[in-house]
Amino acid sequence: MSGSIHVQPIAGALGAELSGVDLSEPLSDAQFSEIHHAFLTHQVIFFRDQSALTPDKQKAFAQRFGTLNVHPYVSGMPGHPELLEIIKEPHDKLNFGGGWHSDMSFQETPALGSVLYALEVPPYGGDTLFASQAAAYEALSDGMKTLLEGLNAIHSARREYSARGASAQDRQSMSAKTAEDAPEFEHPVVRTHPDTGRKGLYVNPAFTLRFSGMTRQESRPLLSFLFEHSRDERFTCRFRWTEHAVAFWDNRCCWHYALNDYPGYRRHMRRATINGDRPV
Ligand code: SIN
């Protein structure tokens, strides 16, 4: 039904909770366009009580927005290589996604979006934070915007997914492959969103190694400033998970961070990642 989906923003810079739609049912064109509009406007959208979202239905929903990614370093679910099971067992110390990042920025064509579904949530904690990189860019001075305009940065999975990298070690409960020889890809530091035309910062602490044409040491001061600036509270929202909730975020313009504050409890999520374009 057209106009049937209610949209409730949860913070100033980004994030909105949507209600009035069952994502396990095929979306009508009108529903798709309302959800797409909310996604582009709010950068991350949330749905609660999606208890019928089987793996096939989660994939079908995500596929309305693009083709699905198969992660090169983390094994997918048996029978569903495009779905990642993100599980933290009660005894696990580290968690997947426990640092600010944008999914798959280490690929030549990074992710458009990710659809994360909660199967089991701890009684407290385990929230996910999001940060609008469009708002972070817009808050910079004109001088800094001009400086960044011509810069590119090098992204790679090497640091996170090498044998000693955080993302490989955090995976006792997931099958992770290591990435000692992961390739490097260059992306603009400021990218223009292909659908909205809005500019946003496109570097992140997990996968951005340095600026193109500079050493890591030379890059560090400005990258450190951008990483600090980009997670300022003004640009963030926080989602409190409930069982069968869904978050759908736009990796082209926001970062996310899975909090690790629920020792002794299990958290089980399932993610579909949608392929995107080469950033420009
Ligand atoms: C992720 O980084 O995709 C995981 C986010 C989460 O588990 O909250």
Side-chain angles (χ1 to χ4, degrees):
M1 260 193 316
S2 177
S4 60
I5 299 176
H6 180 70
V7 180
Q8 178 65 49
I10 68 161
L14 81 172
E17 214 166 303
L18 273 59
S19 53
V21 60
D22 178 354
L23 302 183
S24 72
E25 296 292 330
L27 299 177
S28 66
D29 288 346
Q31 284 174 316
F32 172 77
S33 105
E34 282 180 64
I35 292 172
H36 194 214
H37 179 72
F39 174 70
L40 295 178
T41 306
H42 298 285
Q43 302 163 64
V44 53
I45 54 177
F46 308 101
F47 306 83
R48 301 234 181 236
D49 303 321
Q50 300 293 324
S51 58
L53 202 62
T54 60
D56 281 329
K57 292 185 167 179
Q58 183 176 357
K59 286 198 291 189
F61 170 71
Q63 277 165 335
R64 287 296 302 262
F65 298 86
T67 58
L68 300 189
N69 179 267
V70 175
H71 201 290
Y73 306 115
V74 184
S75 301
M77 267 181 86
H80 299 281
E82 320 86 339
L83 295 177
L84 296 184
E85 286 202 280
I86 299 175
I87 300 171
K88 182 170 181 285
E89 298 291 359
H91 58 268
D92 286 341
K93 295 270 180 283
L94 302 169
N95 69 330
F96 181 76
W100 285 112
H101 65 286
S102 169
D103 290 331
M104 320 306 292
S105 81
F106 55 80
Q107 293 195 317
E108 188 170 14
T109 52
L112 177 158
S114 303
V115 177
L116 187 68
Y117 180 55
L119 290 152
E120 188 176 342
V121 296
Y124 48 71
D127 298 358
T128 306
L129 308 178
F130 297 87
S132 168
Q133 297 309 290
Y137 171 77
E138 285 157 11
L140 292 170
S141 64
D142 288 344
M144 180 57 83
K145 285 181 184 156
T146 305
L147 174 73
L148 296 178
E149 209 52 59
L151 286 181
N152 291 316
I154 304 297
H155 298 237
S156 174
R158 194 176 304 145
R159 187 176 51 204
E160 281 292 309
Y161 289 96
S162 65
R164 295 179 55 206
S167 288
Q169 294 202 358
D170 298 355
R171 231 58 69 66
Q172 287 97 342
S173 315
M174 303 166 67
S175 165
K177 297 170 203 146
T178 57
E180 314 302 327
D181 300 322
E184 295 186 341
F185 292 105
E186 186 177 79
H187 300 308
V189 170
V190 178
R191 75 178 286 185
T192 303
H193 195 290
D195 295 323
T196 65
R198 204 173 167 192
K199 287 183 180 180
L201 290 169
Y202 196 67
V203 287
N204 69 84
F207 304 125
T208 309
L209 302 183
R210 61 185 187 280
F211 294 114
S212 306
M214 295 189 203
T215 65
R216 288 177 91 140
Q217 241 177 339
E218 289 167 340
S219 306
R220 195 168 299 134
L222 183 51
L223 274 183
S224 299
F225 164 75
L226 292 175
F227 294 160
E228 186 74 23
H229 168 80
S230 294
R231 61 186 171 82
D232 187 287
E233 263 171 59
R234 285 173 292 161
F235 315 137
T236 66
C237 73
R238 177 175 185 142
F239 186 60
R240 171 80 197 120
W241 288 96
T242 45
E243 197 183 30
H244 300 142
V246 171
F248 177 21
W249 60 84
D250 191 334
N251 284 296
R252 300 166 296 183
C253 57
C254 65
W255 284 357
H256 57 285
Y257 186 129
L259 288 170
N260 184 3
D261 56 357
Y262 51 99
Y265 289 102
R266 190 170 198 268
R267 182 175 182 271
H268 180 184
M269 319 292 276
R270 196 170 68 207
R271 190 180 97 189
T273 311
I274 303 158
N275 291 316
D277 300 333
R278 189 166 190 155
V280 287

